[in-house]
Amino acid sequence: AKVAEAGRLGDWPQVDKLLSHYTGLALPVLHAGLTAAFRCKQYRAGTEIYHRLCNAGVTKDKPFYTMAMKLLAKAQQFETVRELWTEAIDAGMLNTEVCGGRLDAAATEGDIEGAASILDFMYNNSFNP
């Protein structure tokens, strides 16, 4: 809750301090860290949180996929975004929000064909864009 609140306030130094003392792997805490990094434009730090989660083998959820794709795109890690999208599809984790996260990532990359493909996918699978 403290990480999420500091993130909502745009207080990255506080988020960073809290996360540096946090040794657990609870998805809600680290997801709050991802979201805070995105909001505070601390994309490199956000990718470190992303890799911390992945390396720990934490089970990813839909909000994780959504935020991770948006954050990784801002960090210019487009290939990782594409890998994460494929993983989300394979894991059956797609919903409107996850598709929206991928669409945001495609827009960040300037990938017009990719964005069109995602919109087609959403339409064909009854996800409302």
Side-chain angles (χ1 to χ4, degrees), residues 26-119:
L27 189 56
V29 175
L30 296 176
H31 183 271
L34 279 177
T35 302
F38 184 81
R39 285 184 178 163
C40 297
K41 297 180 171 61
Q42 297 295 317
Y43 308 124
R44 181 177 298 197
T47 63
E48 291 172 11
I49 297 167
Y50 166 80
H51 289 294
R52 179 175 170 183
L53 276 160
C54 291
N55 292 338
V58 174
T59 300
K60 300 167 188 155
D61 61 7
K62 292 173 185 176
F64 170 84
Y65 283 107
T66 303
M67 183 52 62
M69 286 188 286
K70 292 168 64 169
L71 187 135
L72 290 164
K74 290 289 189 181
Q76 307 290 302
Q77 294 185 16
F78 304 119
E79 187 58 37
T80 305
V81 170
R82 285 186 277 283
E83 291 168 5
L84 198 56
W85 172 246
T86 300
E87 181 183 316
I89 292 169
D90 292 345
M93 287 289 176
L94 299 186
N95 64 9
T96 302
E97 289 75 23
V98 175
C99 291
R102 179 62 184 100
L103 189 59
D104 284 353
T108 297
E109 185 178 4
D111 181 6
I112 296 168
E113 289 179 11
S117 173
I118 295 157
L119 288 170

Side-chain angles (χ1 to χ4, degrees), residues 2-36:
K2 291 180 182 180
V3 173
E5 181 62 24
R8 276 191 290 279
L9 296 172
D11 186 354
W12 179 253
Q14 180 65 15
V15 171
D16 191 41
K17 179 181 173 186
L18 290 166
L19 289 177
S20 70
H21 292 99
Y22 181 70
T23 58
L25 295 171
L27 189 56
V29 175
L30 296 176
H31 183 271
L34 279 177
T35 302

